[in-house]
Structure formats: C-alpha cells, structure tokens
Amino acid sequence: MKPYYITTAIAYTSGTPHIGNVYEIILADAIARYKRLMGYEVFYQTGTDEHGQKIEEKAKASGKTPQQFVDEVAGEIKRIFDLVNTSYDKFIRTTDENHKKQVQKIFKKLYQQGDIYKSFYQGKYCVPCESFYTESQLASGKCPDCGATVKDEKEEAYFLKLSNYQDRLIKHIEENPDFIQPESRKNEMVNNFIKDGIQDLCVSRTSFKWGIEVEFDRGHVTYVWIDALSNYITGLGFDVDGDHGELYQKYWPADVHLIGKDILRFHTIYWPIMLMALNIELPKQVFGHPWLLVGKGKMSKSKGNSLYTDDLVEQFGVDPIRYFVLRETPFASDGNIEPEVIIERYNAELVNTLSNLVNRTISMINKYHNGQVYLPNELNKIDKNLIATVLNTKKIVIQKMDQLRVSDAIQEIMKTLRRVNKYIDETEPWILGKDQVNKARLSTVLYNLLESIRQMAVLLQPFIPETCENIFKQIKADQKTFSSLDQFNGIAETVLAKAVPIFNRLDAEKTLKEFEKRIGQEVDMLEEVAEITFADFSKIDLKVGEVLASEPHPKADRLLVSKIDLGTEIRQIVSAIREDVKIADFVGSKVIVVANLKAVKIRGVLSEGMILVATDEKKLEVVTVNIEKGAKVS
C-alpha cells in the first residue's frame, strides 16, 4: 500500500482548546480516514507544544512545576481529541525525551555548519506569540499576528540564517504550485513575507528556563520554532546522525501539513528553510485551513463566545458535531458555528435527508416483505437514472477530497441522498405494496433504495464513522470499502430487523434552552458587531470598581467569581479570566465594570455586570486603572 503522512499543528498547552481549535483535528481525521478507505497506509500525527515563557508563567501562577502543568493540560487535550473519535496514529509531546534529544542535535548541527550564529537581539517582543519583530513589521505599533502590545527586549540569542535560503525557497514555491494551499494563502506569503526579504530568525532565549536547553550553551533554551516545528520529523523517528527509524524512512516527506491560516508563515518560511539547511526533503504540501467562527468573529474569552467540545458533544453527540464543523467550513473561507445553525443542519440533513431515508426504507421492507431483502429484477429508466447518479457520486467525492474540499464532498453526498429520497416519490412503493402482482417491481425499488443507502454510508464514513457503522448494522451490509462502490450490488439477500431511528428531530426552542442551561449563559451567537451612535454608547454605564475578593467558580474551571466594590454597592461578577490572572494580584486592583448589564446566572452563579478585558486571542489581560472606586468612565 502507498504511504500517506498527514499532520496537524500541535496544540499549545496553555489551556483547554475550544471547538475552533478542535476543528483542525477533526478535519485531519476525516482526510486520514478517507485515505485509508482509498487503500493508503496512513500515518496521522498530532500532539502538543509544551515549552515557552507563557507556560512557565502559568505554571508558576498555578503553584505547579511546568512539567506538572503541561502533563495535566496535555492529558486534557488528548482526552478531547479522543472524545471526537479521531484516529491519530501518534500523539507527540515536545517534552518527550526523544524529541528533546533530537532538537538538541538539530540545533547543534545547524550551528556547526554555520546556519545558526550567536548575537544579541534588541527589538519588539510579543509574549503571546513568543516572537520578536522589528519596528517596520508591527501593525500600528502592535504585534502583526495577534494585535497584542509588544515590549522592548534585549537579550543574547542565537539566530537562524533564513536570508541564506530565500532564493531557494522562492524557487521551490514557483516550481511546486501546490506546495502552499489554498492559492490565496500562497500569494499572501510570497507578497507579504518573502518577496521583500526574509530576516534572520531568533531561535534561542535566555529570559526564561522552560524549554529545551542548547546543549553547548546551557544559558540558552531552544526557541519555539526549532522545538515545535521539528515534531513533524522527530515523531517519525528522525535522527540527525542518520540512524532514522522505519516510520521516517517510510513516511517522510509529509503529504500534507494541515494548519490554521494564522500560523502559515511559520510553516511555509521557517520550517522549509530549516529542512533545507538540514538537507531534508520538504513536505509535499502545507494547507492553511480557514477558521471556524462564532457569529462571524473569532472565538474569544473576553467576548464570552467560545464554544467547547464537551458542551457541544453532550448536547448534540459526537457525529453531529463532526458533521457540522466539516460541513459548515468551506475550502478557503471561514466557517461559522452557532447552536441555532447546528440544530437547523441537524434536522434538515442528518434527520430529514439521511435518518428518515434509512428508517423509511427498512420500515417498508419489514411492512411489505416481512424484512426479507430480495435481489432486483428488471430495471426501468427511473432505476437506471438513480443508479447512475449513485455510482457517479464516488467519482465526485474522490475529486473533492483529493483537493481537500471536505465540505464540498459532504454536500455532494447529501445531494445524492436527496435524489434517493426523490426516487421514493417517483416509484411510490406504498402503491406497489397494495397488490401482489407488483411484488417483483417493489423488490427492485426497495433493493435500489437499500443499496443507495449503503453506497452513501460508505462515502460518509470519514466524516461520521459511528453513524455509518449503525447504518451498516441495520441494513446488514458487509461491503464497506470504496472499491465496493464500482458496482451497484453490495447488498445480499438477507432479513432485516425493525428500523431504529439514527437521529431524532430536535425541538429548536427546547434544545436551545437545554444548551443554554448546560453552558450557563444565554445562547445568542448570531448577533454581529455593528456600528452604534453616541446615544447608544451613552446607555452603557461604566464604573471603576475595586476587587474585594475573588475565588474559582464551583462548577467551571475557566471562571472566577469576584466581589467588586463600586463605591455605592458591592456586585458579584463571574468572568472567564481564571486562566489569565493571579488571584493574589487581582484582589485589590481597580477594574472597569459594565454596571448596567442585565444580571444573569452563569453556571448557576449570579453575575451582576461585566469586567472589561483586552485580548489578542492568545492572551487576556484585565483592564486596570489607578482612580477611585465609583468613578464613572466616559
């Protein structure tokens, strides 16, 4: 079998990933499962990125060692990946001993051959991104990647000579048009980051200790890029000395690095140049997938709009969530997830189009033939039209999936399932079943329905595997491979039991209320940010409050419950800031409070306002002031 190697970006162990992060893991899993069905020998790798200044600071704030901290978070991340039924073959951690050993060897080799040199760095540093920038690279004086405030830093550091490989990188991109996908992402990288010159990259730090030590200079730790990016080869058993493991020899170069569009620069500039310097073949493709948004905006702690996998799965189930995030996120543009839309898609496609078709077909076989499935007889024009449509779907799905157009592939399957439903209306089996003279014709119609269902279930396996197994069990289908879709004859004569609905229709209002109760806040994700007038703004009552006390929420590890003195009264406010503040420092600070916000219960605890915070998606800080409590902010 032909090997196929797919990777995701490794998750940063600073906290629990939301569904927007987990989408990437589900997407990679769907591609991996598809390739296995196509006959490839797949190796799917994911994992966690566990070093850096931010983790060192969070571990200290939580009273744990960095290793204890990342052990807990990495375990939680792995649990979530398992929850959504991902079939990864390797879960790598950058604290794995073999990974650390090889990173030290990589660093030393690059230094010895002159691709890494020692100097001083003086410039602008972004803590959330753990990146240095020059003044010209900043966006309005802030980090160009996440928008955070940067600070001046000067420290001794090692640098990777990216500039030495610029021309070679440009040539590779030009000669390999599919290397960076989608096309729009490639143009962005070339025009914004490569064409005007690539600056050398800082690859070590001395201002913190939680990292892989530079073997020959113990005062330095390896900076995130050489550490994290190397996982794609160390996880396969790469060895700098040439004693590579079997997996590396079999699977490298990677067929695709699947990553979020926000980290494309690191994977299409830093990583290829590292590989060039090591004289290693480059991956075949880097695919920068779009984001999964909420209400057209990125998920954010400060907005309170982050949706978490546990909550979604508990409410809707694993396969419906897998289906939704894959179906709703296009090839090159951002997707959108809101509970209302999940319910709509669930009812329209999983219930009406798929589940009802399976249920009706099995029920008719039981009603008219006592569960007996008969082989088809003579086919008429309507039958042949249906069969042609069903058999052609495989070709279209393969074409879409080979281009990583997962959402398009799912839509094609649903389109065919709607055609199968239409076939029921065209053939009217309930009329045929009234007269024994039509028994042969009815047998053919019911067989065509059952085989169509089997074929679509085979195609749906990468996306909703547990659901497809349920279908196969109910229709007693043993043929589950893609090769079985070349002929319309995968169902043998058998006897079926009574149908058990795969999905039941959701009551929208009831389900929303249940979900609202589950996550402890009102569900209103559809509203987008809009312009407001001065009169609108004047309705917001902003006051300075002093934090008197703060403690963890009893039912949610991301929330703090705080007592805030507004000068004339004391309010209780629940905020999703527990991972980002030290309670000891937070108590006594002066914060800005939205004082006229309607009181709500969040996870069962009353919240009477909102504390203002600033966020860059990777870091969150409470806005503090040095002014008397009770003062009005305007």
Side-chain angles (χ1 to χ4, degrees):
M1 290 191 292
K2 187 177 179 181
Y4 185 87
Y5 181 34
I6 182 171
T7 72
T8 70
I10 49 178
Y12 197 49
T13 49
S14 59
T16 303
H18 54 61
I19 190 63
N21 307 130
V22 179
Y23 159 68
E24 178 178 302
I25 312 304
I26 298 173
L27 177 62
D29 181 67
I31 296 167
R33 287 176 182 271
Y34 160 74
K35 287 294 182 180
R36 292 188 190 109
L37 286 168
M38 287 293 291
Y40 287 82
E41 193 168 353
V42 173
F43 194 84
Y44 167 22
Q45 178 170 299
T46 188
T48 44
D49 174 10
E50 303 184 12
H51 293 122
Q53 183 176 358
K54 185 176 181 181
I55 288 174
E56 185 176 80
E57 292 174 353
K58 285 206 165 192
K60 184 178 180 181
S62 64
K64 300 170 185 173
T65 66
Q67 188 65 56
Q68 288 172 330
F69 183 84
V70 297
D71 283 347
E72 290 180 9
V73 178
E76 178 67 3
I77 290 172
K78 189 173 186 296
R79 181 193 66 78
I80 292 170
F81 291 0
D82 291 339
L83 174 67
V84 291
N85 197 14
T86 52
S87 59
Y88 55 82
D89 298 283
K90 171 83 173 183
F91 188 95
I92 189 171
R93 298 179 57 186
T94 56
T95 52
D96 290 343
E97 286 304 318
N98 179 68
H99 174 79
K100 292 192 291 185
K101 179 181 178 181
Q102 290 305 321
V103 167
Q104 287 182 321
K105 285 185 176 183
I106 290 170
F107 198 105
K108 187 175 183 179
K109 178 178 175 65
L110 293 175
Y111 176 73
Q112 289 176 336
Q113 67 189 32
D115 285 307
I116 285 179
Y117 63 93
K118 191 175 185 178
S119 184
F120 282 89
Y121 193 94
Q122 183 169 357
K124 305 296 183 180
Y125 181 67
C126 174
V127 173
C129 291
E130 301 197 53
S131 296
F132 283 106
Y133 300 96
T134 63
E135 194 75 46
S136 63
Q137 290 175 318
L138 300 180
S140 302
K142 297 184 180 295
C143 172
D145 290 318
C146 72
T149 300
V150 294
K151 59 181 181 179
D152 291 312
E153 289 275 358
K154 180 179 180 181
E155 64 179 274
E156 184 180 74
Y158 286 92
F159 292 80
L160 178 64
K161 290 183 179 179
L162 298 180
S163 52
N164 284 1
Y165 295 88
Q166 177 173 321
D167 292 342
R168 185 173 164 185
L169 178 61
I170 292 173
K171 182 180 179 183
H172 181 82
I173 293 172
E174 290 175 345
E175 293 178 351
N176 298 273
D178 292 329
F179 176 59
I180 304 174
Q181 285 293 315
E183 185 75 16
S184 58
R185 310 266 191 264
K186 177 172 69 176
N187 296 335
E188 177 188 353
M189 290 301 106
V190 173
N191 295 330
N192 296 349
F193 297 104
I194 299 176
K195 191 165 60 176
D196 293 335
I198 305 173
Q199 295 190 339
D200 291 350
L201 178 69
C202 176
V203 291
S204 79
R205 297 293 306 279
T206 58
S207 57
F208 61 90
K209 299 298 182 185
W210 182 239
I212 300 173
E213 284 186 324
V214 175
E215 188 180 21
F216 54 86
D217 195 341
R218 297 292 183 179
H220 290 254
V221 294
T222 305
Y223 196 31
V224 62
W225 307 122
I226 286 184
D227 177 3
L229 290 168
S230 295
N231 92 88
Y232 302 126
I233 52 177
T234 64
L236 293 176
F238 167 83
D239 191 294
V240 173
D241 299 328
D243 187 20
H244 306 307
E246 291 182 9
L247 290 176
Y248 178 80
Q249 296 178 51
K250 181 175 183 177
Y251 287 105
W252 191 261
D255 289 270
V256 61
H257 287 323
L258 192 69
I259 59 165
K261 62 181 181 179
D262 51 330
I263 55 173
L264 196 64
R265 176 161 54 98
F266 313 124
H267 286 77
T268 57
I269 299 176
Y270 304 165
W271 179 228
I273 286 178
M274 282 174 56
L275 293 172
M276 288 175 180
L278 291 168
N279 198 29
I280 297 174
E281 193 173 353
L282 270 58
K284 298 173 188 176
Q285 186 177 88
V286 180
F287 183 83
H289 66 75
W291 288 329
L292 184 62
L293 309 178
V294 171
K296 306 300 182 184
K298 279 193 76 177
M299 295 186 199
S300 162
K301 293 178 184 177
S302 63
K303 295 175 185 175
N305 69 345
S306 292
L307 294 175
Y308 289 88
T309 310
D310 283 318
D311 294 325
L312 290 164
V313 166
E314 285 176 15
Q315 185 68 53
F316 299 102
V318 173
D319 274 4
I321 293 303
R322 284 178 60 101
Y323 180 85
F324 183 87
V325 300
L326 295 170
R327 164 71 172 82
E328 211 65 23
T329 309
F331 172 72
S333 56
D334 296 328
N336 204 354
I337 181 169
E338 297 99 9
E340 296 94 332
V341 184
I342 295 174
I343 295 168
E344 181 182 334
R345 190 72 69 194
Y346 185 107
N347 285 337
E349 296 184 1
L350 293 180
V351 176
N352 291 351
T353 304
L354 176 61
S355 182
N356 286 354
L357 172 63
V358 175
N359 195 66
R360 289 175 72 190
T361 300
I362 297 174
S363 296
M364 287 189 292
I365 291 172
N366 273 278
K367 180 177 181 179
Y368 301 123
H369 289 161
N370 295 317
Q372 177 68 51
V373 176
Y374 297 101
L375 296 180
N377 291 279
E378 186 177 343
L379 302 176
N380 65 22
K381 184 177 179 180
I382 294 176
D383 303 328
K384 292 175 181 177
N385 178 275
L386 171 75
I387 292 170
T389 299
V390 170
L391 291 176
N392 191 54
T393 307
K394 173 188 172 182
K395 300 174 185 177
I396 301 174
V397 168
I398 289 174
Q399 179 188 39
K400 300 297 184 184
M401 288 299 292
D402 285 349
Q403 297 172 351
L404 304 186
R405 294 181 175 272
V406 176
S407 177
D408 292 346
I410 293 173
Q411 291 181 60
E412 287 295 332
I413 297 169
M414 283 295 147
K415 180 180 177 183
T416 298
L417 283 169
R418 287 192 291 272
R419 173 67 188 89
V420 179
N421 275 288
K422 183 181 177 183
Y423 175 78
I424 296 177
D425 296 330
E426 293 171 336
T427 56
E428 299 180 319
W430 54 88
I431 301 294
L432 297 173
K434 291 181 178 180
D435 194 331
Q436 274 294 107
V437 75
N438 298 318
K439 183 177 180 180
R441 175 62 188 153
L442 179 59
S443 298
T444 298
V445 169
L446 295 177
Y447 184 92
N448 291 343
L449 287 171
L450 208 61
E451 172 63 3
S452 297
I453 290 168
R454 184 195 71 84
Q455 294 233 355
M456 294 307 102
V458 170
L459 293 174
L460 281 169
Q461 285 178 98
F463 319 119
I464 47 175
E466 290 180 347
T467 297
C468 294
E469 279 303 313
N470 187 352
I471 293 172
F472 293 140
K473 183 178 179 180
Q474 290 204 48
I475 66 175
K476 293 191 177 179
D478 297 323
Q479 300 295 323
K480 306 174 185 179
T481 65
F482 264 38
S483 60
S484 74
L485 304 183
D486 294 332
Q487 302 292 327
F488 198 80
N489 59 2
I491 296 288
E493 287 192 343
T494 186
V495 178
L496 304 185
K498 290 186 177 180
V500 178
I502 300 167
F503 298 107
N504 292 305
R505 187 171 184 82
L506 298 177
D507 180 289
E509 184 177 351
K510 180 181 177 182
T511 304
L512 280 175
K513 287 182 178 178
E514 288 175 355
F515 190 63
E516 186 177 301
K517 183 178 180 181
R518 186 182 303 282
I519 66 174
Q521 63 188 55
E522 292 184 13
V523 177
D524 185 14
M525 302 296 186
L526 289 171
E527 186 176 351
E528 298 181 32
V529 176
E531 291 184 351
I532 63 173
T533 65
F534 181 77
D536 293 324
F537 177 74
S538 65
K539 297 176 184 177
I540 303 173
D541 185 17
L542 299 175
K543 289 184 178 180
V544 175
E546 181 179 354
V547 182
L548 300 180
S550 188
E551 62 183 19
H553 191 292
K555 297 180 180 178
D557 57 11
R558 299 189 299 271
L559 304 177
L560 282 182
V561 181
S562 306
K563 300 292 185 182
I564 312 291
D565 186 355
L566 297 181
T568 57
E569 61 178 316
I570 295 175
R571 296 278 189 89
Q572 176 173 280
I573 298 178
V574 180
S575 310
I577 59 175
R578 184 174 174 184
E579 295 177 347
D580 301 274
V581 302
K582 298 177 183 177
I583 292 179
D585 296 337
F586 184 51
V587 174
S589 63
K590 304 285 183 59
V591 298
I592 299 176
V593 173
V594 181
N596 63 335
L597 191 67
K598 181 181 178 182
V600 295
K601 282 191 175 182
I602 300 180
R603 293 284 176 100
V605 175
L606 182 67
S607 183
E608 305 169 295
M610 178 184 289
I611 298 171
L612 295 193
V613 300
T615 183
D616 53 28
E617 309 301 343
K618 295 184 179 180
K619 183 180 181 183
L620 179 150
E621 289 186 5
V622 176
V623 177
T624 59
V625 295
N626 187 21
I627 193 170
E628 285 300 312
K629 61 188 177 186
K632 186 173 178 62
V633 179
S634 59

